[in-house]
Amino acid sequence: MKIALAGNPNCGKTTLFNSLTGATAHVGNWPGVTVDKKEGWYKKLPEHIQIVDLPGIYSLSPYTPEEIVSRNFIVDETPDCVINVIDATNLERNLYLTTQILEIDVPVVIALNMMDVVQKHGGTIDVQTIEQTLQVPVVEISALKNEGIAQLMKVTYQEAKQPRKGTSLFTDTTLTTYIQCVQAKMEQQNVTNSLFHAIKWIEKDRIERSNQEVVIKDTEQWEKKIDTSAFDGDMEGMIADARYQYIAQSFAKMSQNKKGLESTTTSDRMDRVLTHRIWSIPLFLLVMFIVFHFVFSEDLFFLNGLFGIEISNPGWINFLTGMGYEDILAETIENGEAAVLAGIPSLGVFLQNWMGWLTGSVIDLVSGIMPEGTWYTGLICDGLLTGLDAIFSFLPQILLLFLFISILEDSGYMARVAFIMDRAFRKFGLSGKAFIPLLMGFGCSVPAMMATKTLEDEKERDLAIRLSPFFSCGAKAPIWAMLAAVVAGSFLGDIFVFSIYVLGIVVAIVSALLMRAFGKKVDVPPFIMELPAYHMPQFKNLMAHLWEKFKHFIYKASTIITASIIVIWFLSNFQWAFWTGMVDDISESMLADLGRVLQYVFYPCGWSMGQDGWKYTVASITGLIAKEDVVGTMSTLGLTEDTIALSNAAIYAFAAYNLFTLPCFAAVATAKSESTKKGFLVTMAWWLGASYVLSMVIFWMGKLFEIGWYLGLLAIIVLVVAMVLLGEFVVKKRKVAK
Ligand code: GDP
Ligand code: MG
């Protein structure tokens, strides 16, 4: 037996799916996360039941990929029953979809979800009225609290055994006769689900009308009889209006004694601040800064940075915060040589210190056991462990960063960010809908690129794929964390990382503007998105997200990263005539030779100059395998926090290069399969070009700052003016196009 879950975005389908099947599928807060359908099994009835989680939709019209997927599934793959999940705090809006599902010849059960919220606010819902009006069973549940689930499945199981004929709610006689007439003609041609198809046909539905197998002639006479003057002759609009009126009339009384919407008003109040016309963007930046501060700052309370306080050598604080672990191990505290503690570190840095201590101890332990001077000691200690240590010591920070991003996502704030962005950039021809997959890029570009399926326009999809790696993904975070520790001692680490993320977003926006300026078509589809009420993020969900991340990280570290570290080690310890034995100095290795050739390519970007230049070059190249490899390679080649000798300008340029260049192979492959052919070529060129140019510009701007701050400032002003002019150009061009 097969059962489908259908409903609006954010009505709790995935939560219900997870509690039915015991799976921990990703529960996101925006429409579009669930593009592909998920399947699982419910095993608590005598017969095992297959459950399919359909993408969230507002209607069965053919305008978005989600709508088409869900519609085709219900109509063509004949599930035994559809559970229509409804957000009980938003009854009327959710019932709009219900009116369409009911037209299909399939058993339907309505699951009134979020009843816990309704009850919390003392509301009740008149289930009987709904059942009598719609003629299908209604079960109250709370997917989140796991309430009413068994009852729902029991009812569904019974319903699924009897076939059900589609029903329509229309009462207008002209319209119903028209429907009956088309339906009869369809039945003559053996069309299944004739009522549904007839109504879609009358709506002039794109898919229905292009269906060659169904021939319906001579219906103009009927059409003329129907008064669509209030809708500019738009049949679909007329029918949509009839549905809404029906819902309003049938359930108007009910909504009066339903008080369940108080939580929405709290949300509204929060939204007044968080989506404020002017303040929302600075607030978003502030929220991001706070996150980065908590994860990357070595001086959480600005003790050293703002107040210039240095706590000299209190051994116990050093110990507690993990700051002085090396000194503690070396027992230098007694000698009074321990480092000065520059402020209290953030949780991220604190955890990182302890993780560093842990991995450091493992390395010490292993190298203590291994025989000295053999090639395999070199491979394991200097190659593998050193490389993995560098990556693993940043694991706590990355997980913490993800925890914060998941909180922002689960609470409903990220959906607001898409809304804010849409409002700010719509007039430049950029839509908020495209920002949703882009925001997912903060996690990983691969799912972000796949989520672009939700965008209707091919060009827009190509563009979103192109820009998604600019939203710095989790695998790039170790690079920023490492460089943050180098830049300027204690206070600037968090600002450095924050600015990298902001730079990514700004460059993505400017890139989009450039594409709009030189592209032909400028047509922004309307962005209809209902903002979900703010939720307290669920601990279980957050942990599930983190666990997924952790598993992914371990998997990557134990496969592709380990393999590439071994290759790097080999290339960096042998000459071209590798049978002659290991080289004494890494700079005589094959890798050094390769790097020295490529090094010249990046000379203008600053970071590949000098003796270690080839190492940075090689690290950037290995980053193409997996971005974690950048840090892994650097430490295998002996570049660590303490030995990186780049100027701040060069560090920034190096970071920018790695942010904007080709993402890892997996992401490149995804981009190729999701883009159009031409789009993909432009994308590759854009990644290569943007990374090189930006890296160079940043380096030379840094140089200007070094000469004199006013020169740097001047350069920044020139850039900002250029951006404003570009923006104005695009706006003008769009106006002309209209
Ligand atoms: P989907 O878009 O339909 O798949 O919806 P999700 O399953 O992703 O749920 C959206 C949000 O609603 C999540 O934050 C869930 O935690 C929350 N949610 C789902 N079901 C319930 C429920 O019964 N009660 C409450 N309070 N929240 C719920
Ligand atoms: Mg979902």
Side-chain angles (χ1 to χ4, degrees), residues 13-14 34 38 53:
K13 286 180 310 303
T14 304
T34 334
K38 278 198 248 48
D53 181 19

Side-chain angles (χ1 to χ4, degrees), residues 319 322 324-329 351-364 389 393:
F319 183 75
Y325 67 92
E326 280 158 344
D327 308 310
I328 293 164
L329 285 186
L351 291 172
Q352 189 224 334
N353 286 330
W354 277 106
M355 190 70 182
W357 177 77
L358 199 72
T359 52
S361 313
V362 171
I363 293 186
D364 288 347
D389 166 47
S393 55

Side-chain angles (χ1 to χ4, degrees), residues 8-16 27-29 34 53 113-117 141-145 410 535 538 541:
N8 287 186
N10 288 306
C11 65
K13 286 180 310 303
T14 304
T15 312
L16 177 61
V27 183
N29 232 338
T34 334
D53 181 19
N113 192 28
M114 313 247 183
M115 282 310 291
D116 59 314
V117 183
I141 65 164
S142 164
L144 192 67
K145 304 252 153 85
D410 260 20
H535 296 267
Q538 295 297 314
N541 262 344

Side-chain angles (χ1 to χ4, degrees), residues 546-573:
L546 280 195
W547 178 238
E548 285 296 316
K549 271 284 152 218
F550 182 74
K551 268 199 313 206
H552 181 68
F553 185 88
I554 297 294
Y555 174 75
K556 243 169 124 184
S558 62
T559 52
I560 189 162
I561 294 174
T562 298
S564 44
I565 287 177
I566 291 176
V567 172
I568 294 298
W569 178 83
F570 175 75
L571 290 175
S572 62
N573 277 282

Side-chain angles (χ1 to χ4, degrees), residues 637-648:
L637 297 181
L639 290 178
T640 60
E641 271 172 41
D642 307 318
T643 54
I644 291 178
L646 292 179
S647 68
N648 282 348

